[in-house]
Amino acid sequence: MEQSYFRDVVNAEYNRKHDERIEYGTAGFRTKSDILEHVLYRMGLLAVLRSKAKRAAIGLMITASHNLEPDNGIKLVDPAGEMLEASWETIATNLANVQDNELISRLTHISTNENIDLLVPATVIIGRDTRRSSPILLNAALAGIRALYGNVTDLGLITTPQLHYVVVCTNTNGAYGNPTLQGYYSKLAAVFKSIRGAETNNGMYMNVLQLDAANGVGAIAAKEFQRSLEGVLNIRLFNDGSGNLNHMCGADYVKVQQALPLNIPSETNVRCVSIDGDADRVVYFYIDRANKFHLLDGDRIATLVAAYFKELLETSGLALQLGLVQTAYANGGSTNYISNVLRVPVACVPTGVKHLHKKALEFDIGIYFEANGHGTVIFKDIAKETIKNHAKNETLLAAQRVASAKLRDVIDLINETVGDALSDMLLVETILHAKGWNVIEWERSYNDLPNKQLKVRVKDRNLITTTNAERHCLTPVGLQEEIDKIVSKYSRGRSFVRPSGTEDIVRVYAECENSSDVGKLAMGVASLVY
Ligand code: 16G
Ligand code: ZN
């Protein structure tokens, strides 16, 4: 059966035209778009097999997120909205790299090894970002899916988190929401408006927001919210798709450069927000009276959300376990605040959403955020049930009832499937509104330590291996001791190096108390890895 089932997969149009080895990394396959066609074709084939193996719909997203226009990429989304299972990342890498004449035998091997019933129907839900190369790559993926007789739902231009959302809704028969883009927009907009109520402003909170959409697909989604939230939240949209994707704009640019993106007017103390090219990351920022740039990154969002949930849980009298997950990039100022002031348990895991998501599942309510702005909140089913029942309890005091109802409602504002820039933004706006805070009050909760990130090009980045959630180097032997020596010279100093999972470079992170020293610390550590 197997060999003959795969007989139509050889398609000269999608033969491998490049010999370069390619790997399914933290963010799927990602590289120059012109060498990806055969990879997309093969991932179309693999998505069908994955769908059959899981007996559920699979997502396929064509995007290179915050990378510049010439790059592109692809990642597969598993049925419950998670990243592709680790063992299938290896299968994907192997399939992407086999010679054309080995394609049939490799597919046969996968289907036998994974015990796949080829008669089971397959469904692949596809989305793509706005890159010029995306339509060509879409055709390649479609050709792969059709070669194995899979069903396709092509959602067109959508954000990565929208794809995750539709995959989950499809596989839960609508229990998580309506499996359409309209379902996504109306769910979020309706709950945002109902939580806010008639008072659109509150205390120091003003309902005006400047949004930098990185000239990416998030601009399309932002326009939908701009329309549906008109008068409730006034979104001024910049980098709305008319300029170059991620070029001097977007969440990654703003986070790493710690500078205003192109085109955003520099208005004193106005809340600004940047999302990335596929709208799964978000950071806030503003310019103060002295024209100084202030960044409120993923750590700030995480602490704001954690404090909000902690307060609601305490007021409502619910004893659910709240936890926060960060990575080594989290600013020491935020970790200190979470542990010592908020007293919320905090865990540190390696970079990459799959690690954060997995750890957050251990808590009743798990908040996870990378400093770069990728994150969300996830709830155990039992926690949701408990909150719902509690809100119905008629013996509660008025304050308890209000807090439990808020908790119950805010869950619907959150895209639990994956970090979602726009849903996170609506959550931040909801919390700031509830507290009556402007951006300055939000920033006041703790001070970030001055920090710097550098990229270092090396011959083989994989010579560097790390442990302890990437905070310590194992190899090359002796490197960690050298880093420790340099770091020890700086008050509240901390630094680590790790090989990037998305670029052929090593990343260096450094923070310390004095902003005038942080560059020197980062350069000192970087010089050790050249
Ligand atoms: C990917 C990851 C992101 C991580 C980044 C690190 C997902 C969906 N995305 O974009 O979480 O922060 O890679 O990149 O997991 P790096 O390894 O190049 O530093
Ligand atoms: Zn992204």
Side-chain angles (χ1 to χ4, degrees):
M1 159 80 183
E2 272 107 357
Q3 285 278 351
S4 63
Y5 184 82
F6 294 118
R7 69 174 175 261
D8 293 333
V9 301
V10 178
N11 180 336
E13 203 179 329
Y14 297 114
N15 275 352
R16 201 176 150 178
K17 297 182 189 80
H18 301 269
D19 274 339
E20 213 173 291
R21 186 178 160 80
I22 178 161
E23 258 179 57
Y24 197 101
T26 349
F29 293 106
R30 195 182 289 183
T31 184
K32 295 280 163 269
S33 61
D34 50 1
I35 61 170
L36 272 171
E37 244 182 303
H38 72 282
V39 177
L40 267 285
Y41 176 71
R42 292 172 181 199
M43 287 307 107
L45 300 170
L46 190 69
V48 171
L49 292 188
R50 183 69 181 155
S51 175
K52 287 176 187 291
K54 301 298 285 183
R55 296 174 182 257
I58 290 294
L60 187 160
M61 183 71 195
I62 301 169
T63 181
S65 185
H66 56 278
N67 292 30
L68 293 175
E69 175 73 38
D71 287 359
N72 213 327
I74 174 190
K75 54 187 166 194
L76 297 181
V77 178
D78 261 353
E82 331 90 305
M83 307 287 154
L84 183 66
E85 189 183 309
S87 63
W88 276 67
E89 289 182 359
T90 314
I91 293 174
T93 298
N94 290 338
L95 185 65
N97 289 294
V98 292
Q99 297 302 325
D100 296 310
N101 60 10
E102 292 164 344
L103 197 52
I104 293 182
S105 60
R106 173 59 58 172
L107 291 167
T108 311
H109 175 82
I110 297 170
S111 110
T112 313
N113 247 18
E114 299 296 320
N115 227 340
I116 295 172
D117 180 352
L118 294 170
L119 296 175
V120 169
T123 299
V124 184
I125 305 174
I126 303 194
R128 66 175 197 277
D129 73 12
T130 53
R131 283 160 213 273
R132 280 187 286 277
S133 55
S134 290
I136 293 173
L137 297 179
L138 168 68
N139 282 338
L142 288 174
I145 296 166
R146 292 193 178 125
L148 289 186
Y149 322 106
N151 301 306
V152 174
T153 305
D154 179 8
L155 296 172
L157 292 170
I158 57 166
T159 70
T160 296
Q162 284 176 331
L163 177 71
H164 285 253
Y165 169 89
V166 175
V167 169
V168 174
C169 292
T170 304
N171 287 323
T172 52
N173 295 321
Y176 191 67
N178 203 334
T180 60
L181 289 190
Q182 208 40 55
Y184 169 90
Y185 290 123
S186 35
K187 179 178 174 185
L188 266 60
V191 68
F192 181 78
K193 285 187 201 168
S194 86
I195 295 179
R196 181 153 300 199
E199 289 295 328
T200 53
N201 292 311
N202 181 28
M204 301 296 282
Y205 176 88
M206 301 299 283
N207 68 343
V208 175
L209 186 64
Q210 300 197 140
L211 197 161
D212 153 30
N215 288 313
V217 67
I220 299 172
K223 282 177 195 160
E224 289 286 337
F225 286 120
Q226 201 178 28
R227 252 195 307 276
S228 57
L229 299 179
E230 202 183 340
V232 182
L233 179 65
N234 294 320
I235 302 173
R236 299 183 190 152
L237 190 57
F238 302 90
N239 301 321
D240 65 350
S242 41
N244 290 338
L245 177 68
N246 297 323
H247 174 65
M248 297 181 73
C249 61
D252 192 64
Y253 174 84
V254 171
K255 164 73 183 156
V256 176
Q257 303 301 323
Q258 308 200 12
L260 271 193
L262 274 188
N263 300 320
I264 286 263
S266 152
E267 284 191 36
T268 308
N269 297 345
V270 170
R271 252 182 356 271
C272 302
V273 64
S274 270
I275 63 178
D276 74 336
D278 63 339
D280 58 1
R281 290 188 192 180
V282 58
V283 296
Y284 274 74
F285 56 94
Y286 73 96
I287 295 288
D288 71 13
R289 249 179 251 290
N291 219 17
K292 185 169 172 247
F293 174 87
H294 294 247
L295 177 71
L296 294 99
D297 61 6
D299 302 338
R300 289 272 171 193
I301 299 175
T303 50
L304 181 77
V305 173
Y308 183 68
F309 274 99
K310 183 165 188 226
E311 196 181 307
L312 288 183
L313 285 171
E314 278 174 4
T315 314
S316 63
L318 276 164
L320 293 171
Q321 185 204 17
L322 182 67
L324 200 146
V325 186
Q326 301 187 311
T327 71
Y329 287 103
N331 194 284
S334 77
T335 314
N336 184 42
Y337 173 73
I338 296 158
S339 327
N340 300 331
V341 181
L342 292 183
R343 297 189 177 280
V344 169
V346 51
C348 185
V349 299
T351 304
V353 171
K354 62 183 176 200
H355 302 295
L356 289 112
H357 195 96
K358 189 166 165 224
K359 188 72 191 171
L361 287 169
E362 293 178 12
F363 302 102
D364 292 336
I365 303 178
I367 302 167
Y368 70 83
F369 264 90
E370 292 188 303
N372 62 26
H374 192 134
T376 188
V377 187
I378 52 184
F379 304 83
K380 280 194 180 145
D381 285 343
I382 182 79
K384 284 190 194 169
E385 244 354 86
T386 309
I387 293 170
K388 259 192 211 146
N389 290 335
H390 196 66
K392 277 192 238 155
N393 183 341
E394 298 196 342
T395 64
L396 294 183
L397 301 172
Q400 288 182 312
R401 212 174 19 244
V402 171
S404 345
K406 270 193 196 158
L407 259 181
R408 179 199 58 204
D409 294 346
V410 86
I411 296 175
D412 276 341
L413 193 55
I414 293 164
N415 186 346
E416 287 180 74
T417 64
V418 77
D420 180 333
L422 293 165
S423 145
D424 288 339
M425 176 187 91
L426 295 178
L427 177 62
V428 168
E429 293 300 313
T430 298
I431 299 174
L432 293 180
H433 174 265
K435 289 187 170 292
W437 277 3
N438 61 17
V439 73
I440 300 167
E441 280 155 315
W442 174 16
E443 195 187 27
R444 209 169 270 155
S445 40
Y446 68 88
N447 289 326
D448 267 331
L449 289 171
N451 59 92
K452 190 145 194 80
Q453 286 190 45
L454 295 175
K455 296 181 181 188
V456 187
R457 282 199 186 279
V458 294
K459 244 205 200 113
D460 182 359
R461 71 187 198 276
N462 294 317
L463 292 180
I464 295 189
T465 57
T466 62
T467 182
N468 191 12
E470 302 178 320
R471 290 171 292 189
H472 285 94
C473 280
L474 283 174
T475 61
V477 173
L479 176 59
Q480 187 58 48
E481 287 71 22
E482 295 294 319
I483 295 175
D484 291 344
K485 246 189 250 164
I486 295 183
V487 169
S488 68
K489 294 184 196 146
Y490 297 85
S491 166
R492 300 184 72 190
R494 188 170 71 89
S495 179
F496 63 89
V497 299
R498 57 174 279 276
S500 158
T502 62
E503 290 180 67
D504 192 12
I505 50 155
V506 170
R507 293 196 198 279
V508 175
Y509 175 87
E511 66 181 31
C512 63
E513 190 157 26
N514 296 320
S515 55
S516 52
D517 283 346
V518 72
K520 210 162 73 188
L521 170 57
M523 285 304 290
V525 173
S527 70
L528 300 173
V529 282
Y530 276 121

mmCIF file of all heavy atoms in Angstrom, residues 30 63-67 75 160-161 276-281 374, ligand 2:
data_model
loop_
_atom_site.group_PDB
_atom_site.id
_atom_site.type_symbol
_atom_site.label_atom_id
_atom_site.label_comp_id
_atom_site.label_asym_id
_atom_site.label_seq_id
_atom_site.Cartn_x
_atom_site.Cartn_y
_atom_site.Cartn_z
ATOM 1 N N ARG A 30 13.685 28.491 8.317
ATOM 2 C CA ARG A 30 13.709 29.914 8.008
ATOM 3 C C ARG A 30 15.029 30.256 7.323
ATOM 4 O O ARG A 30 16.099 29.994 7.864
ATOM 5 C CB ARG A 30 13.563 30.734 9.280
ATOM 6 C CG ARG A 30 13.226 32.168 9.006
ATOM 7 C CD ARG A 30 13.138 32.971 10.268
ATOM 8 N NE ARG A 30 11.972 32.647 11.086
ATOM 9 C CZ ARG A 30 11.693 33.297 12.213
ATOM 10 N NH1 ARG A 30 12.473 34.265 12.636
ATOM 11 N NH2 ARG A 30 10.630 32.973 12.919
ATOM 12 N N THR A 63 5.907 32.112 6.962
ATOM 13 C CA THR A 63 6.340 33.407 7.499
ATOM 14 C C THR A 63 7.791 33.331 7.938
ATOM 15 O O THR A 63 8.297 32.251 8.250
ATOM 16 C CB THR A 63 5.482 33.827 8.715
ATOM 17 O OG1 THR A 63 5.928 35.115 9.176
ATOM 18 C CG2 THR A 63 5.585 32.860 9.879
ATOM 19 N N ALA A 64 8.453 34.480 7.956
ATOM 20 C CA ALA A 64 9.764 34.558 8.596
ATOM 21 C C ALA A 64 9.711 35.649 9.661
ATOM 22 O O ALA A 64 10.700 36.325 9.930
ATOM 23 C CB ALA A 64 10.871 34.819 7.592
ATOM 24 N N SER A 65 8.511 35.840 10.238
ATOM 25 C CA SER A 65 8.347 36.678 11.415
ATOM 26 C C SER A 65 8.999 38.051 11.283
ATOM 27 O O SER A 65 8.675 38.805 10.378
ATOM 28 C CB SER A 65 8.888 35.896 12.611
ATOM 29 O OG SER A 65 8.679 36.574 13.802
ATOM 30 N N HIS A 66 9.983 38.333 12.158
ATOM 31 C CA HIS A 66 10.587 39.668 12.177
ATOM 32 C C HIS A 66 11.764 39.807 11.208
ATOM 33 O O HIS A 66 12.361 40.871 11.128
ATOM 34 C CB HIS A 66 11.056 39.987 13.591
ATOM 35 C CG HIS A 66 11.989 38.958 14.128
ATOM 36 N ND1 HIS A 66 11.556 37.784 14.688
ATOM 37 C CD2 HIS A 66 13.336 38.914 14.158
ATOM 38 C CE1 HIS A 66 12.607 37.061 15.053
ATOM 39 N NE2 HIS A 66 13.696 37.731 14.738
ATOM 40 N N ASN A 67 12.106 38.733 10.487
ATOM 41 C CA ASN A 67 13.220 38.848 9.533
ATOM 42 C C ASN A 67 12.849 39.791 8.389
ATOM 43 O O ASN A 67 11.676 40.045 8.145
ATOM 44 C CB ASN A 67 13.558 37.476 8.931
ATOM 45 C CG ASN A 67 14.146 36.531 9.945
ATOM 46 O OD1 ASN A 67 13.837 36.614 11.126
ATOM 47 N ND2 ASN A 67 14.977 35.614 9.500
ATOM 48 N N LYS A 75 6.405 26.974 9.380
ATOM 49 C CA LYS A 75 6.317 26.134 10.569
ATOM 50 C C LYS A 75 4.981 25.409 10.593
ATOM 51 O O LYS A 75 3.986 25.908 10.064
ATOM 52 C CB LYS A 75 6.569 26.922 11.844
ATOM 53 C CG LYS A 75 5.731 28.137 12.040
ATOM 54 C CD LYS A 75 6.234 28.899 13.273
ATOM 55 C CE LYS A 75 5.661 30.287 13.321
ATOM 56 N NZ LYS A 75 6.318 31.157 14.266
ATOM 57 N N THR A 160 0.299 34.758 12.549
ATOM 58 C CA THR A 160 0.603 33.425 13.073
ATOM 59 C C THR A 160 -0.386 33.031 14.187
ATOM 60 O O THR A 160 -0.943 31.930 14.144
ATOM 61 C CB THR A 160 2.060 33.373 13.571
ATOM 62 O OG1 THR A 160 2.914 33.567 12.445
ATOM 63 C CG2 THR A 160 2.390 32.054 14.232
ATOM 64 N N PRO A 161 -0.627 33.905 15.180
ATOM 65 C CA PRO A 161 -1.571 33.485 16.220
ATOM 66 C C PRO A 161 -3.002 33.262 15.723
ATOM 67 O O PRO A 161 -3.714 32.452 16.300
ATOM 68 C CB PRO A 161 -1.538 34.637 17.231
ATOM 69 C CG PRO A 161 -0.613 35.657 16.701
ATOM 70 C CD PRO A 161 0.101 35.135 15.530
ATOM 71 N N ASP A 276 5.441 42.515 15.606
ATOM 72 C CA ASP A 276 6.411 42.080 14.594
ATOM 73 C C ASP A 276 5.691 41.639 13.312
ATOM 74 O O ASP A 276 4.470 41.747 13.205
ATOM 75 C CB ASP A 276 7.350 40.997 15.144
ATOM 76 C CG ASP A 276 6.657 39.656 15.282
ATOM 77 O OD1 ASP A 276 5.420 39.632 15.395
ATOM 78 O OD2 ASP A 276 7.357 38.624 15.274
ATOM 79 N N GLY A 277 6.479 41.160 12.342
ATOM 80 C CA GLY A 277 5.977 40.905 10.986
ATOM 81 C C GLY A 277 4.855 39.885 10.896
ATOM 82 O O GLY A 277 4.093 39.879 9.927
ATOM 83 N N ASP A 278 4.728 38.981 11.863
ATOM 84 C CA ASP A 278 3.607 38.032 11.828
ATOM 85 C C ASP A 278 2.727 38.175 13.069
ATOM 86 O O ASP A 278 1.889 37.308 13.345
ATOM 87 C CB ASP A 278 4.087 36.589 11.642
ATOM 88 C CG ASP A 278 4.942 36.098 12.795
ATOM 89 O OD1 ASP A 278 5.490 36.940 13.530
ATOM 90 O OD2 ASP A 278 5.065 34.876 12.976
ATOM 91 N N ALA A 279 2.962 39.261 13.823
ATOM 92 C CA ALA A 279 2.077 39.662 14.925
ATOM 93 C C ALA A 279 1.994 38.654 16.062
ATOM 94 O O ALA A 279 0.930 38.458 16.646
ATOM 95 C CB ALA A 279 0.682 40.003 14.404
ATOM 96 N N ASP A 280 3.124 38.018 16.398
ATOM 97 C CA ASP A 280 3.102 37.202 17.607
ATOM 98 C C ASP A 280 3.974 37.796 18.715
ATOM 99 O O ASP A 280 4.142 37.188 19.768
ATOM 100 C CB ASP A 280 3.465 35.730 17.334
ATOM 101 C CG ASP A 280 4.824 35.557 16.712
ATOM 102 O OD1 ASP A 280 5.531 36.572 16.499
ATOM 103 O OD2 ASP A 280 5.193 34.404 16.426
ATOM 104 N N ARG A 281 4.545 38.968 18.476
ATOM 105 C CA ARG A 281 5.318 39.649 19.526
ATOM 106 C C ARG A 281 4.839 41.075 19.672
ATOM 107 O O ARG A 281 4.481 41.717 18.672
ATOM 108 C CB ARG A 281 6.781 39.750 19.131
ATOM 109 C CG ARG A 281 7.519 38.471 19.119
ATOM 110 C CD ARG A 281 8.960 38.839 18.908
ATOM 111 N NE ARG A 281 9.769 37.694 18.602
ATOM 112 C CZ ARG A 281 11.073 37.768 18.381
ATOM 113 N NH1 ARG A 281 11.670 38.949 18.410
ATOM 114 N NH2 ARG A 281 11.760 36.699 18.124
ATOM 115 N N HIS A 374 7.106 37.973 23.169
ATOM 116 C CA HIS A 374 6.286 36.822 22.793
ATOM 117 C C HIS A 374 5.774 36.140 24.054
ATOM 118 O O HIS A 374 6.563 35.665 24.857
ATOM 119 C CB HIS A 374 7.094 35.824 21.972
ATOM 120 C CG HIS A 374 6.219 34.790 21.330
ATOM 121 N ND1 HIS A 374 6.347 34.417 20.035
ATOM 122 C CD2 HIS A 374 5.187 34.087 21.821
ATOM 123 C CE1 HIS A 374 5.421 33.517 19.751
ATOM 124 N NE2 HIS A 374 4.717 33.297 20.828
HETATM 125 ZN ZN ZN B 2 6.923 36.656 15.027
#
